[in-house]
Amino acid sequence: MRDAAPTTIYLKDYTPFGYVVDSVHLTFDLEPHSTRVTSQIAFTPNPEATDRSFFLHGEQLKLISAKIDGIAISPTVTEQGLSCDVPNAPFTWETVVEIDPANNTALEGLYMSNGMYCTQCEAEGFRKITFYPDRPDVMSVFTVRINGPHPVLLSNGNPVDAGPHWAEWHDPWPKPAYLFALVAGELLAHSSTFTTVSGKHVDLNLYVRPGDEGKCAFGMEALKKSMIWDEQVYGREYDLDVFNIVAVDDFNMGAMENKGLNVFNSSCVLASPETSTDDNFERIEAIIAHEYFHNWTGNRITCRDWFQLCLKEGLTVFRDSQFTSDLRSAPVKRIRDVIDLRGRQFAEDNGPLSHPVRPESFQEINNFYTATVYEKGAEVIGMLKRLVGDAAYAEAVDLYFARHDGQACTIEDWLKVFEDTTGRDLTQFKRWYSQAGTPRVNVTEDWTDGTYTLTFTQSTPATPGQPHKDPRVIPIAVGLLGSNGDEVRKTEMLELTEASQSFSFDGLSSRPTPSILREFSAPVILERDSTNAERAFLLAHDTDPFNRWEAGNALAKDARLNMITKGAAPDADYLDALQKLVRDDDLDPGFRALVLQPPSASDLAQTLFENEHAPDPQAIYDASETMAQTLAQTLADSLPRLYAATTVEGPYQPDAVGASNRMLNFRMLALLSRLDGGDQAAQQFASADNMTLQYAALVCLLSIDKGAEQNQAFFDQWKDDRLVMDKWFAAQVAFATPEKTAAIAATLTQHPLFDMKNPNRFRAVMGALAMNHAGFHHISGDAYSLLADWLIKLDPLNPQTTARMCSAFQTWKRYDADRQALIKIQLDRIAATPDLSRDTTEMITRIREA
Ligand code: 0A1
Ligand code: ZN
């Protein structure tokens, strides 16, 4: 067994650690296979704790020596850690351990990536570096000495001193061990400086491998924008002399907010016009902001225990969304966030992996870095802000920073600052943190004697371990439109608190058209009978951009669902509404592109399932293809003009306006390709001087089962660029036709550049396989077994990435009996694999229990 038998940890069992850590001094003697870590830790008995047993976490460590107050001791060591008797008074603890970073393929703790040393300690990776109370409520001041031959030796905080082959760092801010970081390697710095609002000078460095120095400028600018934004919007200033970012090629997640030393997956920080798309630029800007914002929401104020993960993640995602909205188009950001929420979080919340924003138990915390904790966690903050208003939100957050700076907190602490500043009782609101599942909100309406009444009824389906749900507080933003499209009632925030509740509007001269759940004011599924005519009206007139898009989205979904379930032809009203909208040059091109973006196959599948139809992935694919073809023909006259009008002249800039035009330009090219067999796309591919246009052209070609020549040319041009090669691997699988998908993915796993140990490359192929809905669910079952084969192979090397990718199977109960049987075989096969990791065991067990 590589992992100890899984045990379940419960929120209700929390107790504080028996000792306070006054200071930590670490020395690293770096060697690829035998790095020595010497720790000197000052412990004091914790007056607030009752349990004084002394247990330090430690996994995969070779204990060389242990001393208490300078005297050698022989502690009891197990696979999980170490225990021994200690004095009932302050004492100094010292251990020497040996670890093997070169063989650390799990990418947790201290590991090596392309010859460079780096660490990943969240959530529980520090215990793979040395024996320590590895829990977020134990905060301490760290001093770190690194001995190694590398020109760059980094840790948290401020540099103290350095010499040939050594460096010392001191972080004055007490922090939990999960924020510890160390980096050593032959790296180049892209440097700049920042002066904070109170005049403090900060050195900024972005460290990269030689060859990547041309991809740093955008990230550095994004960092400065984030620093200014957090000062201006949240009053948060940076608090060290340096802020370092390091790009690492082998990384399980996107990036990590270690104090003063953020470590980034290189795909989430390196960017250049030639190698990155507009979407990459926007994502990089957001992730840099996210990690930077953690300095206050996560680091200065951290989590008491891992059940409180949403305290830092929900709030930080909310803050990075605000940042992107401020810098770019707010409506486009909101629409994209909702598409993403429905695609990932709703799928999670309505399946076997459903869990509350604040879970109450887990086996492996790494499995809870989920869309529910992050994105639904952010939606909960958005709702709170809508309920109390902007000014009260600002006041409460100020109090949060003032009251809790330097502490490890809980959701109760967070809600209390809102209760104290607003006088509101948030007991019912707190259900958003404790109840899993997506609420359904049904709306009916009445028009009697000049009074218009909306009646809302809420219910949430049972989720694993939670058969019964209580009504939540749901903010529902409603506006009313008159027959000429004028707003007869501006947006009002209705507060739904009962299972069923009515709201009336008086003094209207005629029956209005309601615009409900504006700005997507709550993460719920709204159920309401509507007509195509009403949706077309809202698509043309709604003054709320989100709901305007939503009306188009509802039309788009219905048209396809009718094709699938009733054999209907592509809906004429829908096509007509789209024609009008696409040609309306007063509308933001990015917004028009989003209205044209087809609903995802997975979203259609979920809706079919909810309406008691087992979704047929091939039928969904066929309907979407027919619709795209019909749309292309309907818009044929406008396509060349709009394609030309949205072609951005001049050198490429990753700015919001250019990106918005290119979004629509891409939609036009995709439709044009269906009429001209890909001629225009081939031309664009040949002449493109930036990745956005080059990649868009390749995608358009692959989507119509063409582009073999361009695919080869793309490979020849970019084979030495890792990040572009990830795109190459992914595109071939993601845009393959259903019957070819599994075979293409299988072939790519045999490609010399396929490397399962690199999470980005593994995800490029296997993630794309799972995302190609009709390809993944092809009735041959080939994709299911291919993915299972590779999950079984990866698990012993990298449990965390394996476990995350198991979620490809989470929706299996949506599908027909044949597909369920095919998936079940694979789930059983994975479950029966000897020595399966704790991470993957937990995921597969939960999915199988569906
Ligand atoms: N805290 C990081 C995400 C992160 C979480 C876990 C990791 O390794 C297990 C790595 C990164 C963030 O929210 O950006
Ligand atoms: Zn985060």
Side-chain angles (χ1 to χ4, degrees):
M1 280 288 282
R2 283 172 302 109
D3 281 323
T7 45
T8 302
I9 302 167
Y10 295 91
L11 166 60
K12 63 177 166 49
D13 291 344
Y14 172 83
T15 53
F17 184 53
Y19 300 82
V20 174
V21 177
D22 299 317
S23 67
V24 181
H25 199 295
L26 300 172
T27 304
F28 287 81
D29 294 293
L30 297 174
E31 279 294 333
H33 286 291
S34 54
T35 289
R36 286 218 161 186
V37 186
T38 305
S39 71
Q40 287 160 309
I41 307 171
F43 286 106
T44 303
N46 180 358
E48 275 159 35
T50 45
D51 179 2
R52 285 283 157 69
S53 52
F54 186 76
F55 173 78
L56 301 182
H57 297 103
E59 289 176 14
Q60 297 158 35
L61 305 173
K62 186 166 144 196
L63 179 62
I64 308 291
S65 66
K67 291 179 191 163
I68 290 179
D69 290 331
I71 297 169
I73 54 154
S74 300
T76 308
V77 181
T78 67
E79 277 183 7
Q80 277 92 54
L82 159 168
S83 49
C84 68
D85 292 334
V86 297
N88 190 19
F91 63 95
T92 304
W93 171 265
E94 185 176 332
T95 58
V96 180
V97 301
E98 203 173 276
I99 52 179
D100 183 358
N103 273 331
N104 181 350
T105 55
L107 314 182
E108 223 185 9
L110 179 68
Y111 65 95
M112 298 194 76
S113 169
N114 293 316
M116 116 196 210
Y117 290 85
C118 64
T119 53
Q120 173 52 42
C121 293
E122 188 175 5
E124 298 180 332
F126 192 73
R127 62 189 64 184
K128 294 183 171 175
I129 294 177
T130 193
F131 289 102
Y132 197 76
D134 189 5
R135 39 186 292 167
D137 58 342
V138 173
M139 299 171 79
S140 190
V141 173
F142 282 62
T143 305
V144 177
R145 164 139 182 154
I146 312 168
N147 300 319
H150 319 84
V152 173
L153 300 168
L154 306 171
S155 191
N156 315 90
N158 296 320
V160 177
D161 204 357
H165 303 159
W166 67 274
E168 198 167 299
W169 292 80
H170 177 73
D171 182 359
W173 299 103
K175 65 168 176 291
Y178 83 85
L179 292 173
F180 168 82
L182 176 152
V183 169
E186 293 201 20
L187 302 170
L188 297 176
H190 176 99
S191 303
S192 189
T193 61
F194 183 80
T195 307
T196 70
V197 65
S198 69
K200 235 171 85 74
H201 174 97
V202 186
D203 285 324
L204 311 177
N205 299 294
L206 173 44
Y207 287 97
V208 297
R209 288 172 60 204
D212 286 336
E213 47 299 5
K215 295 183 177 177
C216 298
F218 180 81
M220 182 58 81
E221 287 316 301
L223 173 60
K224 292 187 206 169
K225 285 180 192 166
S226 309
M227 295 177 88
I228 294 177
W229 188 90
D230 215 15
E231 288 181 346
Q232 292 179 343
V233 180
Y234 277 83
R236 299 297 103 204
E237 196 175 342
Y238 188 61
D239 53 7
L240 290 166
D241 304 340
V242 296
F243 189 84
N244 289 325
I245 292 180
V246 182
V248 178
D249 290 336
D250 298 284
F251 200 76
N252 279 332
M253 310 277 273
M256 180 63 211
E257 69 263 23
N258 316 299
K259 183 82 191 187
L261 178 54
N262 288 0
V263 175
F264 273 65
N265 184 322
S266 50
S267 70
C268 297
V269 58
L270 300 180
S272 76
E274 298 73 34
T275 59
S276 311
T277 63
D278 286 326
D279 286 349
N280 297 149
F281 278 104
E282 180 170 332
R283 182 153 182 269
I284 286 168
E285 186 176 80
I287 297 179
I288 289 190
H290 180 98
E291 304 311 330
Y292 177 74
F293 296 159
H294 267 315
N295 190 53
W296 274 94
T297 49
N299 301 2
R300 287 286 285 260
I301 303 178
T302 193
C303 304
R304 186 194 71 174
D305 53 69
W306 290 120
F307 297 102
Q308 321 294 330
L309 184 58
C310 62
L311 178 74
K312 74 178 177 83
E313 297 305 347
L315 179 53
T316 307
V317 171
F318 181 71
R319 275 152 49 70
D320 82 54
S321 303
Q322 288 182 299
F323 169 80
T324 301
S325 304
D326 284 357
L327 264 63
R328 294 166 181 262
S329 156
V332 167
K333 171 66 176 161
R334 187 64 187 142
I335 294 164
R336 287 181 134 185
D337 278 354
V338 174
I339 292 173
D340 178 67
L341 187 82
R342 286 177 170 157
R344 296 189 305 116
Q345 201 279 325
F346 279 25
E348 184 168 84
D349 226 0
N350 292 281
L353 298 178
S354 181
H355 55 275
V357 170
R358 180 169 71 176
E360 265 144 38
S361 69
F362 61 76
Q363 290 179 357
E364 173 49 65
I365 183 58
N366 285 337
N367 289 334
F368 286 84
Y369 286 78
T370 59
T372 298
V373 170
Y374 275 64
E375 276 77 24
K376 188 175 179 182
E379 291 298 321
V380 172
I381 309 243
M383 284 190 286
L384 196 51
K385 183 162 179 277
R386 278 178 209 111
L387 287 170
V388 302
D390 293 352
Y393 173 81
E395 201 189 333
V397 173
D398 284 347
L399 179 60
Y400 178 66
F401 291 126
R403 186 184 279 176
H404 295 295
D405 187 11
Q407 297 177 2
C409 294
T410 60
I411 288 302
E412 283 72 17
D413 295 326
W414 166 252
L415 292 176
K416 187 79 171 42
V417 296
F418 282 84
E419 295 193 320
D420 288 355
T421 50
T422 65
R424 260 177 190 258
D425 178 351
L426 292 173
T427 313
Q428 189 186 0
F429 184 80
K430 201 174 160 191
R431 289 178 187 155
W432 279 107
Y433 287 99
S434 59
Q435 290 189 165
T438 312
R440 282 22 178 200
V441 176
N442 186 278
V443 198
T444 55
E445 60 215 274
D446 179 66
W447 170 247
T448 310
D449 301 333
T451 298
Y452 180 69
T453 304
L454 288 171
T455 301
F456 298 91
T457 309
Q458 59 163 307
S459 66
T460 304
T463 55
Q466 290 189 336
H468 170 76
K469 315 278 177 175
D470 295 317
R472 306 186 204 195
V473 185
I474 304 181
I476 301 182
V478 172
L480 301 179
L481 300 175
S483 55
N484 58 359
D486 286 352
E487 207 169 51
V488 293
R489 280 297 170 87
K490 287 200 179 340
T491 305
E492 270 178 57
M493 201 61 69
L494 308 180
E495 277 185 42
L496 177 62
T497 55
E498 309 291 328
S500 186
Q501 207 170 338
S502 298
F503 300 86
S504 292
F505 302 83
D506 295 327
L508 299 164
S509 56
S510 60
R511 184 184 180 126
T513 300
S515 167
I516 305 175
L517 207 68
R518 287 185 149 186
E519 222 182 43
F520 201 62
S521 56
V524 301
I525 294 173
L526 192 69
E527 298 168 341
R528 174 169 175 268
D529 286 333
S530 181
T531 60
N532 276 357
E534 189 193 66
R535 286 168 177 158
F537 174 81
L538 289 171
L539 176 60
H541 299 293
D542 203 327
T543 42
D544 178 69
F546 174 81
N547 261 6
R548 199 166 176 186
W549 170 82
E550 181 77 316
N553 183 50
L555 276 176
K557 276 179 76 172
D558 251 29
R560 286 163 178 84
L561 294 174
N562 287 333
M563 291 168 75
I564 296 161
T565 58
K566 300 182 188 151
D571 186 77
D573 292 340
Y574 167 59
L575 294 167
D576 185 49
L578 274 189
Q579 280 218 57
K580 289 193 187 115
L581 180 119
V582 170
R583 291 184 184 140
D584 183 350
D585 290 334
D586 291 338
L587 286 172
D588 173 22
F591 176 81
R592 284 185 271 167
L594 285 169
V595 177
L596 278 171
Q597 181 175 312
S600 77
S602 175
D603 188 11
L604 293 171
Q606 178 67 22
T607 308
L608 283 165
F609 174 67
E610 296 205 347
N611 294 314
E612 273 137 45
H613 293 278
D616 174 352
Q618 184 65 42
I620 294 174
Y621 176 83
D622 292 340
S624 296
E625 285 294 295
T626 306
M627 183 62 93
Q629 198 63 38
T630 314
L631 187 57
Q633 277 149 7
T634 311
L635 293 177
D637 292 345
S638 321
L639 291 177
R641 176 187 78 75
L642 279 165
Y643 175 73
T646 49
T647 300
V648 183
E649 302 295 336
Y652 173 89
Q653 294 287 338
D655 61 290
V657 174
S660 165
N661 275 291
R662 284 184 291 268
M663 269 171 83
L664 185 55
N665 185 256
F666 169 58
R667 289 282 150 223
M668 295 299 105
L669 185 65
L671 293 172
L672 269 176
S673 302
R674 292 179 180 270
L675 301 180
D676 72 1
D679 290 347
Q680 187 70 52
Q683 259 185 53
Q684 177 170 315
F685 184 90
S687 63
D689 66 353
N690 63 76
M691 183 51 68
T692 308
L693 294 184
Q694 190 180 19
Y695 186 69
L698 181 65
V699 166
C700 289
L701 289 165
L702 294 174
S703 302
I704 56 166
D705 207 10
K706 296 243 167 91
E709 189 190 312
Q710 287 78 9
N711 192 49
Q712 183 60 45
F714 193 92
F715 176 81
D716 293 339
Q717 185 181 353
W718 295 114
K719 58 183 175 306
D720 297 324
D721 187 299
R722 300 173 307 279
L723 297 175
V724 183
M725 272 298 97
D726 289 335
K727 292 183 169 52
W728 182 78
F729 275 94
Q732 294 174 74
V733 182
F735 301 101
T737 55
E739 62 287 354
K740 291 188 190 165
T741 308
I744 292 176
T747 307
L748 285 173
T749 60
Q750 304 307 312
H751 193 280
L753 292 181
F754 181 74
D755 173 11
M756 71 184 300
K757 287 190 187 164
N758 177 260
N760 289 358
R761 192 58 49 90
F762 188 84
R763 279 189 289 257
V765 177
M766 292 299 147
L769 178 65
M771 295 289 290
N772 183 329
H773 186 257
F776 184 59
H777 292 286
H778 190 266
I779 195 63
S780 65
D782 290 350
Y784 302 149
S785 62
L786 181 69
L787 178 62
D789 286 348
W790 283 94
L791 293 177
I792 290 168
K793 276 187 226 182
L794 186 65
D795 188 61
L797 299 171
N798 187 335
Q800 209 185 106
T801 289
T802 309
R804 287 185 81 76
M805 298 233 25
C806 291
S807 58
F809 291 119
Q810 71 177 323
T811 54
W812 68 297
K813 288 280 172 167
R814 272 182 196 165
Y815 298 95
D816 53 85
D818 291 345
R819 285 184 174 83
Q820 284 193 33
L822 289 167
I823 297 176
K824 179 80 169 39
I825 292 169
Q826 304 308 328
L827 293 173
D828 290 348
R829 190 158 71 91
I830 299 171
T833 304
D835 289 344
L836 200 66
S837 67
R838 180 174 63 215
D839 308 54
T840 304
T841 303
E842 183 185 28
M843 292 294 278
I844 292 290
T845 307
R846 288 163 66 203
I847 294 170
R848 280 166 96 213
E849 278 168 6

